[in-house]
Amino acid sequence: MEQWTVKEMAACVGIRADTLRYYEKNKIIVPDRLENGYRVYNAQHLLELKFILVMKYARFSLAEIKLMMEWLRSEPSVTCNTTSKELLALKAAEIKQTIAHYTKIAALLEELPQIDDVQDYSTVQKDVNTFVEHIFTDIRKDGF
């Protein structure tokens, strides 16, 4: 079975070794320990770390990720299944809302007049301010 050190595992997934140590300190990931106390990671840890990074990218908080990791490591139960389904449904709704906001932002950005070499910001400032107000109001309404 292949094993990796903290630095090797961190490099493998593109994070800093300090980040990996932070995840361990907070029991988000639990590496194996050699007799000399050194941390070692295996293929299962690599999968767990990829899961953590995907969840982080999906805007899960570290507390939510830690909870998910605890659920994955524990025996299946009705409570675990119910609470994990609720959390995942909530996150799916948040992601869909974020996508809707980004879609609207992209559309509005395409509509904004572009500043060229002969214009300055003041000529489009009103349009930019209207854009910002529109988006701000939209994201605040949805719980930003």
Side-chain angles (χ1 to χ4, degrees):
M1 175 185 346
E2 190 168 5
Q3 293 183 332
W4 297 278
T5 66
V6 171
K7 288 183 181 181
E8 291 168 338
M9 179 60 76
C12 188
V13 295
I15 62 173
R16 294 179 34 208
D18 289 343
T19 301
L20 189 51
R21 287 185 195 99
Y22 179 81
Y23 292 163
E24 179 196 358
K25 178 182 174 186
N26 288 283
K27 299 194 181 354
I28 296 170
I29 192 163
V30 182
D32 297 329
R33 294 273 184 168
L34 298 176
E35 287 181 18
N36 60 9
Y38 288 179
R39 299 169 186 89
V40 291
Y41 298 86
N42 58 37
Q44 180 60 39
H45 294 117
L46 178 60
L47 289 173
E48 289 177 5
L49 192 53
K50 287 178 180 179
F51 177 83
I52 291 165
L53 296 174
V54 167
M55 294 295 103
K56 190 172 178 216
Y57 182 80
R59 301 176 75 178
F60 279 69
S61 70
L62 287 180
E64 292 167 333
I65 294 170
K66 179 179 179 180
L67 192 56
M68 292 292 296
M69 295 306 296
E70 289 171 359
W71 290 336
L72 290 172
R73 291 185 195 113
S74 66
E75 292 294 321
S77 71
V78 172
T79 302
C80 179
N81 288 346
T82 302
T83 53
S84 64
K85 283 180 185 178
E86 289 170 358
L87 176 59
L88 293 174
L90 176 66
K91 282 303 181 180
E94 287 177 13
I95 290 169
K96 288 175 184 175
Q97 188 60 57
T98 300
I99 290 168
H101 288 154
Y102 280 131
T103 301
K104 188 176 281 187
I105 290 169
L108 288 170
L109 285 172
E110 290 173 355
E111 292 176 17
L112 279 177
Q114 299 299 313
I115 299 173
D116 61 28
D117 293 337
V118 295
Q119 281 181 311
D120 64 20
Y121 175 71
S122 64
T123 62
V124 295
Q125 184 173 3
K126 182 179 178 223
D127 292 330
V128 171
N129 290 345
T130 301
F131 165 77
V132 169
E133 282 295 328
H134 181 78
I135 294 299
F136 181 80
T137 300
D138 196 44
I139 58 179
R140 287 296 283 201
K141 171 183 72 180
D142 293 322
F144 165 65

